Amino acid sequence: MHRSRTQTLSSLSLFALLILTLSCKTDRKVENKTSGSQDTLSIIILQTADIHGQLDTHPELFWEDDEIIFKDRGGLANIKTLFEKERAKNPNTIIVDGGDLIQGSGYAALSKGSIFPEIIKNMQYDVIIPGNWEVVYGKEIMLDVMNSYDTQVVAHNMFHEETEKPLFPIYWIKEIEGIKIGFVGLNDPDVPVRQNPIFSKGIDFSGVNKEFQNTLDKLKTQKGVDVLFLVTHLGVFKQVDLANNPVAKNVDYILGNDTHERIREPIQGKFAKVTEPGAFGSFVGKLELDFVNGKLVKDTYELIDVDPEKFPADEDLQKMIDSAKAPYKDNLETIIGYTKTPLYRYLTVENPMDNMITDAARWKTGVDIAISNGFRFGNPIVPENGKPAPITRANLWNLLPVNEKLKIGKASGKQIKDWLEKEMHNAFSQQPLDRFGGWLVRFSGMKVEFDSKKPEGERIEKITVNGEPIQDDKLYSISACVRPGDPLDNLCRMTDVKDVELMDYTIHDVVEEYLREHSPVSPSLEQRAYCQSLGEYSFSTVPGTKYQFQ
């Protein structure tokens, strides 16, 4: 069946190794020579990604001069000011969003995304794709919200499960002064695995298959597209792999999204260049394409910081945002605790934010080990002038954008080892298509020493639980959040857990109670998981590239 995911990126990647001498793309690469003609044209592509419901300016983490610093960035009204400045300089500007727009903040969650259509219409995007989190409120709400944007929404690989008809158009073509620019949307086919399975009920996903390749080829050979963009929500590892895959032989640029990476110089693949413009509305990617006599002769790229001093908030849009927030503001801006140390979640292995959350879960449940998903998510909470920083419910939603109940169970030391090895392979495999997110699972009550460079199944060097070496045949109590749609005996992808019990409280309940008892907190990096080759401050590990998070 053509909707099948059996033909995946990996099979096509193997084929890529057999045709290293393929040269058909080189004829279409950017030409640096001009003909001397005065028939010139400049087209601008602006890209946002992974805004995750962040409406306002907020603290953002940067890695500069080998240390973490924080600067205020972002805000949708500030982004609109940036958009308008760019459009004023060049009316031939196309604005793209790469998904994960309507989930990630308390205002997004409590309104189930309903606050966004009017805001997004006001920002005047040209084309948008759904991301892996757009499904969070269910299929019908996603369709209602995204179809209310009054802009093009494209996705090649999302279908109504019953009819197999596409949820959205699969591509969009924009013609500017005779130049055809094509956009094809591609969401992560693993959404039903990555997210709570119940979220995507009624939606079928396909992968990078023959039908997808046929669409790309048709846009170039039959539709006459001059520059072809893939707007993908796959993560940087798979996006770079796709740029090296023959399926992309007719693709010029991959506007990537999902892993919140800050690519400041496009990564050149064999067939296409890859970008990814950070997250939370803190950055906007800007690609300028220069044409002479209809030929692309030059491209330039920059990642623009959404600095509120350079891009003050658009007053009308800010009023609209403030009005949308009003019904939820009293609840969400309630202070629930304080922190004396910065809370953030940007590192690959361990973060203060996750240490606080897993400590709270272990304190409440009394288990040996509390575990939580690893991901780069949530705006930093930063003390200033030596005073503890307040933690609000809005912050809590930023840290934990899905509020599920906890469940506890028991697993043997051998089970825990095997599970951790799988989690490490998900995060550190040198094969891009084996990556699953790119961040290690987090935990409290356990310490792990490992070597990320070792082969699959051989990375763990030492595990201790509550200070004692882990024993293969001993049962340990563990806790994790419920993932609706998962089997009862599955805790954070660990299967066959024994004596599972569902708690009657949610993770938000737990953190609020913990903060009432322990505030102000001061979580820090403790080497709960440590790899010597990665060090304490590992932000990104992207195989086969020189990319570094900044």
Side-chain angles (χ1 to χ4, degrees):
M1 187 69 182
H2 65 283
R3 307 295 185 216
S4 170
R5 293 161 57 190
T6 58
Q7 185 174 6
T8 62
L9 280 163
S10 56
S11 62
L12 289 165
S13 296
L14 291 173
F15 178 59
L17 297 176
L18 303 176
I19 57 170
L20 291 175
T21 59
L22 188 65
S23 61
C24 62
K25 180 65 183 272
T26 59
D27 293 335
R28 301 187 301 103
K29 282 187 178 292
V30 172
E31 301 173 11
N32 291 316
K33 296 180 180 180
T34 66
S35 64
S37 168
Q38 296 182 356
D39 183 10
T40 62
L41 175 68
S42 173
I43 296 175
I44 303 295
I45 311 295
L46 300 179
Q47 179 193 5
T48 59
D50 298 284
I51 288 174
H52 284 294
Q54 298 306 315
L55 302 171
D56 299 306
T57 298
H58 51 78
E60 185 58 86
L61 181 148
F62 291 82
W63 180 250
E64 294 183 1
D65 299 324
D66 294 329
E67 66 176 1
I68 287 174
I69 64 172
F70 303 94
K71 304 176 186 179
D72 284 347
R73 291 293 182 266
L76 296 189
N78 306 80
I79 294 173
K80 183 183 178 184
T81 298
L82 188 157
F83 286 173
E84 290 186 339
K85 286 187 175 184
E86 291 295 332
R87 280 192 171 116
K89 288 189 289 187
N90 187 345
N92 296 322
T93 296
I94 301 172
I95 303 180
V96 182
D97 183 76
D100 280 7
L101 174 57
I102 63 173
Q103 175 271 354
S105 71
Y107 293 104
L110 297 184
S111 70
K112 294 188 176 180
S114 66
I115 64 174
F116 286 97
E118 291 303 314
I119 294 170
I120 298 307
K121 278 191 278 189
N122 190 278
M123 294 179 73
Q124 296 182 316
Y125 280 90
D126 293 289
V127 61
I128 293 175
I129 73 164
N132 60 293
W133 275 109
E134 248 71 30
V135 300
V136 65
Y137 312 119
K139 173 185 170 184
E140 296 308 320
I141 290 178
M142 178 190 71
L143 290 172
D144 182 60
V145 170
M146 299 198 76
N147 288 329
S148 298
Y149 288 157
D150 282 356
T151 191
Q152 298 291 327
V153 179
V154 295
H156 193 282
N157 65 326
M158 297 176 71
F159 309 93
H160 295 279
E161 192 173 59
E162 292 185 358
T163 65
E164 294 193 345
K165 292 181 178 180
L167 264 63
F168 305 102
I170 61 177
Y171 64 82
W172 177 63
I173 298 173
K174 173 75 170 181
E175 186 168 346
I176 299 175
E177 297 186 28
I179 301 295
K180 290 185 177 180
I181 311 291
F183 297 87
V184 180
L186 185 69
N187 200 355
D188 190 343
D190 288 329
V191 166
V193 180
R194 292 181 58 186
Q195 317 315 129
N196 296 349
I198 199 170
F199 292 166
S200 54
K201 184 179 180 181
I203 305 173
D204 190 21
F205 292 81
S206 65
V208 177
N209 54 23
K210 188 64 177 177
E211 185 176 1
F212 179 68
Q213 183 168 13
N214 288 342
T215 296
L216 302 182
D217 296 346
K218 180 179 74 173
L219 288 172
K220 278 286 189 173
T221 61
Q222 298 179 27
K223 297 292 185 179
V225 167
D226 296 288
V227 182
L228 181 56
F229 288 87
L230 288 184
V231 189
T232 58
H233 204 96
L234 303 172
V236 67
F237 322 108
K238 295 178 182 179
Q239 283 149 183
V240 171
D241 184 81
L242 184 56
N244 291 308
N245 190 317
V247 75
K249 67 181 184 296
N250 281 316
V251 174
D252 298 283
Y253 300 92
I254 296 176
L255 301 180
N257 311 273
D258 181 53
T259 30
H260 304 181
E261 301 293 352
R262 303 171 186 173
I263 296 177
R264 297 183 181 273
E265 181 177 343
I267 298 171
Q268 177 67 66
K270 186 176 180 182
F271 303 103
K273 293 182 178 181
V274 179
T275 68
E276 194 167 316
F280 313 123
S282 298
F283 306 90
V284 173
K286 178 184 178 182
L287 175 65
E288 183 170 0
L289 306 176
D290 292 332
F291 297 84
V292 174
N293 291 335
K295 297 290 185 181
L296 180 60
V297 298
K298 181 182 178 183
D299 64 12
T300 55
Y301 183 82
E302 65 175 313
L303 189 61
I304 304 172
D305 281 26
V306 184
D307 183 342
E309 293 186 3
K310 294 181 180 179
F311 306 104
D314 177 88
E315 291 184 4
D316 290 338
L317 183 56
Q318 190 61 57
K319 288 178 181 177
M320 183 181 295
I321 291 168
D322 292 342
S323 177
K325 291 167 55 179
Y328 315 100
K329 189 171 183 178
D330 286 347
N331 174 29
L332 290 174
E333 300 306 327
T334 297
I335 294 174
I336 58 174
Y338 293 86
T339 179
K340 294 192 289 185
T341 55
L343 296 181
Y344 56 85
R345 188 195 273 138
Y346 280 71
L347 300 173
T348 304
V349 176
E350 180 190 2
N351 291 273
M353 188 176 286
D354 297 298
N355 287 354
M356 182 194 74
I357 291 167
T358 52
D359 282 353
R362 189 161 66 100
W363 168 80
K364 177 66 174 177
T365 60
V367 296
D368 296 312
I369 305 165
I371 56 180
S372 179
N373 254 331
F375 56 138
R376 179 180 288 151
F377 207 100
N379 302 327
I381 304 171
V382 186
E384 295 181 354
N385 303 319
K387 296 181 180 180
I391 304 171
T392 66
R393 285 203 184 103
N395 294 137
L396 182 56
W397 275 104
N398 291 342
L399 313 185
L400 293 163
V402 177
N403 184 24
E404 300 291 357
K405 290 184 177 180
L406 270 68
K407 59 180 175 179
I408 62 174
K410 294 179 180 178
S412 70
K414 178 67 164 56
Q415 275 181 281
I416 293 169
K417 282 183 183 178
D418 291 345
W419 165 76
L420 266 177
E421 286 284 5
K422 289 180 181 178
E423 292 294 316
M424 288 181 179
H425 191 67
N426 289 343
F428 303 114
S429 173
Q430 293 301 297
Q431 300 301 317
L433 300 182
D434 288 350
R435 292 282 182 112
F436 193 83
W439 305 284
L440 188 62
V441 68
R442 325 296 193 196
F443 37 79
S444 176
M446 177 168 63
K447 288 199 171 186
V448 181
E449 296 176 16
F450 68 100
D451 185 347
S452 66
K453 296 181 178 179
K454 286 188 176 179
E456 180 178 4
E458 301 176 18
R459 291 185 172 92
I460 293 175
E461 297 176 338
K462 180 181 179 181
I463 303 178
T464 59
V465 179
N466 297 322
E468 298 292 331
I470 197 168
Q471 300 178 39
D472 282 356
D473 57 355
K474 181 177 178 179
L475 288 178
Y476 297 89
S477 56
I478 56 177
S479 74
C481 287
V482 170
R483 279 169 41 96
D486 271 356
L488 180 65
D489 65 356
N490 190 321
L491 270 71
C492 200
R493 293 178 296 278
M494 188 187 305
T495 58
D496 300 320
V497 177
K498 306 292 188 292
D499 302 330
V500 174
E501 183 180 356
L502 182 64
M503 302 292 98
D504 62 357
Y505 44 77
T506 71
I507 187 62
H508 282 201
D509 296 333
V510 169
V511 173
E512 288 206 28
E513 185 178 347
Y514 179 80
L515 288 172
R516 283 196 297 271
E517 293 286 333
H518 296 86
S519 190
V521 295
S522 53
S524 60
L525 300 178
E526 304 173 4
Q527 296 189 1
R528 295 184 183 186
Y530 188 74
C531 170
Q532 186 172 4
S533 62
L534 294 176
E536 193 170 42
Y537 295 101
S538 170
F539 284 92
S540 300
T541 57
V542 185
T545 75
K546 296 180 180 179
Y547 166 75
Q548 291 184 334
F549 183 95
Q550 297 180 46

